[in-house]
Amino acid sequence: MVKNNKDGPKLPKQQLAILAIARFAEPLAATSIYPYLPEMIKSFGVPKNEVAKWAGFTGSIFSVAQSMAAVPWGRASDRFGRKPIILIGLTSTMICFMLWGLSTSLTMAITVRFIMGAGNGNVGILRTMVAEMVPEKELQPKAFSLMPLVWSIGSVFGPAFGGFFAQPAKQYPSLFGNIDFFKKYPFALPNIVAGVIFFISLMTGLLFLRETLENRRGHRDWGLVLGEKLTRPFKRRGPHHHHHRNNRRHSFVDDGASAPLLAPSSLPTSIASVETDSPTLREIFTPQTIINLTSYTFLALHSVAFDQVLPVFLNYPLLSPHDRNPSNTHLPFKFTGGFGLGSDKIGTIYTVYGIACGVVQFFLFPWFCARFGVLRCFRAATLLFPIVYLLTPYTALIQDTHTRYAVFLALILIKGVAVIIGFPCTTILLTNSASSLRILGTLNGVATTFSGLGRAIGPAVAGAIFTWGVTGRNYIIAPWWFLSLVAAVGAVPSWWIVEGEGPTRSLETDSEDESGEEEEEVEEGVEVVSEGSTLVSNSQGSRADSAMDGGYGTMKKDVQEAR
């Protein structure tokens, strides 16, 4: 059996790519509503000054439902596996987005958003899958930046086609002007396009995504079987096919993984119980996980609230210098006015923003983390948010159009950099604060719940404050200064965070005492080891010595002794 440690552990690029494809539809569909949401709310008969409040509430109800369902979905993934829960979430969200595009009243839109949030717990589960695929700390900055990178890429296309395809009968009368369906449902087309992309993500996950929950890896996956049959004619098998299989990474096996060495029933009870026992509250809520959860909640609260209020601000009418007078303007605090943009131009702004964020995510984020460390990067990011929020409303006072857009884009790009650094870093810090890999599903479910509460409170309160500020008071700075205050308070817990060693290393000590007793039992179950089998990573320690790697890998010390 060959073990190659010369190049060190490597990312499971193939499975991460499949995970990214399965994830792609969600940010794309979620951000596609930003450009047309204010106009959609108006189409329900909501007055102009009430749009911000109801747009915020529409976003909040989604987050409330998601936070309520996050822990149950996380526990379900710990019990039934990550993959089936992800596929259920994709299916539910695909259906709900189609219904969202057919909404004809505010009540229907809010109801659909609630069901959409409750039916998808994928945010935390996807982070758990990445953590299970990549336990090595040196690889985590790149691995954990993948989902935010996918979000950034989705953010490029989502607002673009959201603004481009919304109200097609109005924007493109020569193509869609005579189609009654698009006259009756002016916001259906972008959601139909999103539905197609959801279907592609769903099929990719069904056919090619592998289970990462250890005690479910040995179960037969009919989706993978079908995917193997469909792709078999396109695979080239050279004479050295089996020889090259030994050069893959050690900690997670990709689609060339061998069959399990032991049947699930032959796994020692003491080992199986480690994987199936429900984690206790004391295991989940340690001092460091509480601090990390607090930081993550504040970050989600003000960041998502900014994203929800921003298109309302951009859609709000622009106030010319001739319309300003002492009754509506008294600088530096009392003034009103937005950018007066439609959904198409708002979509263009979000597209430029998304492209820039994608470049930063892909090229700069891993370098920043490697150069300065995850914790320092996160602390720096938390300090940028209050400044950006404080200055954003003043861009509406700049009279020159080009200068106004240049300053505005500079501010939101700084905010984008802070988000790109902040979210992956807090995810890494939270993961490394966990005491064991087996609690990650539940811990990330709890994180989704707490962040969901933040995403619920933030847009609702910021939207209500926006409405309060512009309704006869002319204080459009109100929601932005509120978010600046929240971001400043949220920056404080980051200075109490201590970067942990990660759940992988804690597992070594957890299983050390048991490995000696279980070693002989496992040896008896091993008879033949194929040359194509893959060693588990050294970072998994004595846990890999006493148990198989979920049916995908082989055992290290035990197998060598058995042979």
Side-chain angles (χ1 to χ4, degrees):
M1 191 158 33
V2 179
K3 179 179 178 181
N4 182 11
N5 278 334
K6 291 181 180 179
D7 298 328
K10 296 180 180 179
L11 288 172
K13 295 180 181 179
Q14 196 169 49
Q15 280 297 298
L16 286 173
I18 293 169
L19 199 65
I21 295 171
R23 170 65 165 153
F24 179 70
E26 294 186 47
L28 183 140
T31 57
S32 70
I33 74 171
Y34 289 160
Y36 65 76
L37 183 60
E39 293 181 350
M40 186 180 192
I41 299 295
K42 286 180 185 178
S43 71
F44 299 146
V46 176
K48 177 186 69 176
N49 288 341
E50 298 285 322
V51 169
K53 179 177 71 177
W54 288 109
F57 184 79
T58 302
S60 295
I61 200 68
F62 173 87
S63 299
V64 168
Q66 191 177 57
S67 65
M68 290 170 57
V71 172
W73 282 124
R75 288 189 178 275
S77 76
D78 286 339
R79 181 176 180 182
F80 302 107
R82 318 299 187 201
K83 179 176 177 176
I85 304 303
I86 284 178
L87 296 181
I88 291 172
L90 286 172
T91 303
S92 172
T93 308
M94 177 179 66
I95 295 171
C96 286
F97 261 107
M98 302 292 281
L99 294 174
W100 163 263
L102 302 178
S103 298
T104 55
S105 67
L106 187 60
T107 302
M108 180 179 177
I110 291 172
T111 302
V112 171
R113 289 288 286 176
F114 181 86
I115 297 172
M116 190 186 303
N120 190 327
N122 286 1
V123 175
I125 299 171
L126 286 165
R127 285 200 300 267
T128 302
M129 291 191 76
V130 173
E132 290 170 334
M133 289 179 182
V134 187
E136 299 88 358
K137 288 187 68 177
E138 65 270 24
L139 297 179
Q140 285 179 345
K142 283 189 176 182
F144 279 103
S145 69
L146 176 64
M147 293 301 114
L149 175 61
V150 172
W151 184 276
S152 296
I153 296 173
S155 299
V156 174
F157 297 100
F161 82 72
F164 186 79
F165 290 119
Q167 299 177 305
K170 179 181 177 181
Q171 289 199 72
Y172 316 106
S174 60
L175 292 175
F176 302 102
N178 296 323
I179 302 177
D180 293 333
F181 177 81
F182 291 119
K183 291 181 179 179
K184 185 177 181 180
Y185 305 107
F187 305 102
L189 186 57
N191 291 281
I192 292 173
V193 176
V196 173
I197 298 172
F198 262 107
F199 183 77
I200 294 172
S201 294
L202 178 64
M203 289 297 102
T204 301
L206 176 66
L207 298 177
F208 306 112
L209 183 63
R210 292 187 175 275
E211 181 59 65
T212 61
L213 183 64
E214 188 166 356
N215 62 355
R216 303 292 297 184
R217 289 182 190 170
H219 293 231
R220 189 170 182 82
D221 188 329
W222 293 104
L224 290 178
V225 173
L226 179 59
E228 174 67 25
K229 289 183 178 181
L230 291 174
T231 57
R232 188 175 298 162
F234 304 99
K235 291 183 178 180
R236 296 176 60 185
R237 294 179 177 270
H240 302 292
H241 173 72
H242 293 287
H243 173 73
H244 292 290
R245 289 177 62 185
N246 288 330
N247 294 327
R248 64 173 69 103
R249 76 190 295 274
H250 305 310
S251 62
F252 186 83
V253 182
D254 56 18
D255 66 335
S258 59
L261 292 173
L262 301 176
S265 60
S266 64
L267 191 65
T269 306
S270 58
I271 300 174
S273 64
V274 172
E275 301 300 328
T276 57
D277 287 348
S278 298
T280 63
L281 291 177
R282 180 172 295 182
E283 288 180 289
I284 298 170
F285 294 105
T286 65
Q288 278 303 304
T289 58
I290 292 172
I291 295 172
N292 277 284
L293 287 170
T294 302
S295 293
Y296 184 44
T297 301
F298 271 97
L299 179 59
L301 189 155
H302 61 73
S303 178
V304 174
F306 179 93
D307 292 338
Q308 289 279 347
V309 173
L310 187 62
V312 180
F313 173 66
L314 293 174
N315 182 253
Y316 200 78
L318 177 67
L319 203 63
S320 67
H322 302 290
D323 296 326
R324 297 192 181 277
N325 53 65
S327 64
N328 61 26
T329 303
H330 191 277
L331 298 176
F333 303 117
K334 185 178 180 180
F335 63 94
T336 189
F339 277 55
L341 303 179
S343 60
D344 54 340
K345 292 183 179 179
I346 295 175
T348 302
I349 289 175
Y350 271 98
T351 300
V352 174
Y353 171 72
I355 292 173
C357 287
V359 171
V360 172
Q361 180 80 63
F362 189 76
F363 293 104
L364 297 183
F365 170 73
W367 181 85
F368 274 127
C369 283
R371 177 68 177 82
F372 301 105
V374 173
L375 184 55
R376 287 182 180 178
C377 287
F378 179 64
R379 287 172 176 170
T382 61
L383 298 178
L384 293 176
F385 291 110
I387 300 171
V388 172
Y389 299 160
L390 205 66
L391 297 177
T392 296
Y394 292 95
T395 57
L397 296 174
I398 301 173
Q399 298 306 314
D400 181 72
T401 303
H402 296 291
T403 305
R404 181 168 65 250
Y405 281 110
V407 173
F408 174 76
L409 284 173
L411 284 175
I412 65 170
L413 286 177
I414 293 172
K415 190 262 183 182
V417 170
V419 167
I420 286 167
I421 294 174
F423 274 107
C425 284
T426 192
T427 300
I428 294 170
L429 292 169
L430 178 63
T431 299
N432 289 337
S433 71
S435 59
S436 170
L437 277 172
R438 72 188 183 89
I439 73 167
L440 275 181
T442 302
L443 179 60
N444 278 317
V446 172
T448 303
T449 297
F450 277 80
S451 66
L453 291 174
R455 293 195 306 271
I457 295 171
V461 175
I465 293 175
F466 189 105
T467 296
W468 175 87
V470 299
T471 306
R473 295 178 179 85
N474 301 306
Y475 283 101
I476 204 164
I477 68 168
W480 307 110
W481 282 43
F482 162 74
L483 293 178
S484 181
L485 176 61
V486 171
V489 174
V492 174
S494 67
W495 302 95
W496 297 334
I497 294 175
V498 177
E499 191 169 1
E501 291 297 318
T504 301
R505 295 180 183 176
S506 67
L507 278 171
E508 293 180 8
T509 58
D510 290 344
S511 60
E512 234 171 32
D513 296 336
E514 299 176 5
S515 61
E517 297 175 5
E518 293 165 354
E519 188 175 340
E520 294 182 3
E521 293 177 23
V522 177
E523 283 182 44
E524 293 175 0
V526 180
E527 295 179 3
V528 178
V529 181
S530 66
E531 289 298 320
S533 300
T534 304
L535 290 168
V536 290
S537 170
N538 287 333
S539 67
Q540 290 177 324
S542 59
R543 181 180 179 213
D545 297 340
S546 60
M548 66 175 186
D549 187 15
Y552 275 77
T554 66
M555 283 153 289
K556 190 171 58 178
K557 176 181 173 183
D558 301 313
V559 170
Q560 290 171 350
E561 293 180 3
R563 296 185 70 187

